[in-house]
Amino acid sequence: RRTVPAGFFGHYVSMERHMLKPAGRHVLFSDEEYWLENIPVDDEAELVREIGIKILIVVPENHVAGAFRIGGGNDDEDGTSADGDFVLLGQGRHVLDSSRFRDVVIKKLDSSQVELGPVTVLYIKEGFLGGAYERTTGTYRIFQPGPPYLLHEKDFEQIELTERKLDGFTLGPIHFVTVKDGETAG
């Protein structure tokens, strides 16, 4: 018999499987089952926790997380994700099966360019421009200010961000110059 306090999971093992119980009074009915230490529901010091084969992830505000999918099959809700795909996880709580996901990463969105596994989150503010080479065509793409860009390393390389300046600036292979009235550039 155990009383699990509010804010905790009751952690026990049943048939060599790790199980969780919500807060409240609980009784284990089998001699094969035994209690382990209670686990806090929210642990701000540890955002990714493995309990048995489950990975508990808490993605706080202004953060993004991701993990690589393991195994074949398209078992996503939309049926599009395959083996080796990097899956992004938004803010909130997530429970992943460790036999299906690996290399969980959480990053704070505290700068204009955040690398999360193979994905770069590029947020371009007013007064800046972003750019990257497309891997398939070799052409250089320029990104304008606006909502964040999610650029995958399989599609883009040499991702950069630069400030626009009146006296000229360079972005990748392109040189930007400001031509004032009555002047010419070449």
Side-chain angles (χ1 to χ4, degrees), residues 70-103:
I70 301 172
N74 295 332
D75 54 0
D76 263 16
E77 293 163 6
D78 60 359
T80 58
S81 187
D83 184 28
D85 282 350
F86 190 77
V87 180
L88 291 176
L89 305 169
Q91 180 182 336
R93 290 185 179 96
H94 304 274
V95 179
L96 303 179
D97 191 326
S98 65
S99 66
R100 295 185 139 169
F101 293 92
R102 65 176 169 81
D103 300 336

Side-chain angles (χ1 to χ4, degrees), residues 113 120 122 131-133 143 151-152 156-161:
Q113 189 170 342
T120 299
L122 189 64
Y133 285 97
F143 302 109
L151 307 174
H152 198 287
F156 295 95
E157 62 186 359
Q158 297 180 28
I159 300 166
E160 58 184 313
L161 185 67

Side-chain angles (χ1 to χ4, degrees), residues 99-115:
S99 66
R100 295 185 139 169
F101 293 92
R102 65 176 169 81
D103 300 336
V104 177
V105 182
I106 296 179
K107 291 283 181 119
K108 184 174 174 90
L109 298 171
D110 58 356
S111 68
S112 297
Q113 189 170 342
V114 177
E115 292 187 18

Side-chain angles (χ1 to χ4, degrees), residues 129 162-171 174-178:
L129 283 178
T162 191
E163 185 177 6
R164 293 180 183 182
K165 297 178 184 168
L166 286 176
D167 57 344
F169 62 96
T170 301
L171 180 63
I174 302 169
H175 301 285
F176 291 84
V177 292
T178 302

Side-chain angles (χ1 to χ4, degrees), residues 17-18 50-55 95-100:
R17 291 178 28 204
H18 290 260
E50 272 198 61
I51 301 169
I53 64 164
K54 299 296 181 190
I55 305 170
V95 179
L96 303 179
D97 191 326
S98 65
S99 66
R100 295 185 139 169

Side-chain angles (χ1 to χ4, degrees), residues 35-90:
W35 288 103
L36 297 173
E37 260 188 68
N38 289 336
I39 298 172
V41 173
D42 289 323
D43 188 354
E44 293 178 15
E46 201 173 347
L47 300 175
V48 178
R49 299 178 284 172
E50 272 198 61
I51 301 169
I53 64 164
K54 299 296 181 190
I55 305 170
L56 299 179
I57 304 166
V58 178
V59 183
E61 187 176 341
N62 204 27
H63 286 68
V64 68
F68 285 97
R69 177 177 296 282
I70 301 172
N74 295 332
D75 54 0
D76 263 16
E77 293 163 6
D78 60 359
T80 58
S81 187
D83 184 28
D85 282 350
F86 190 77
V87 180
L88 291 176
L89 305 169

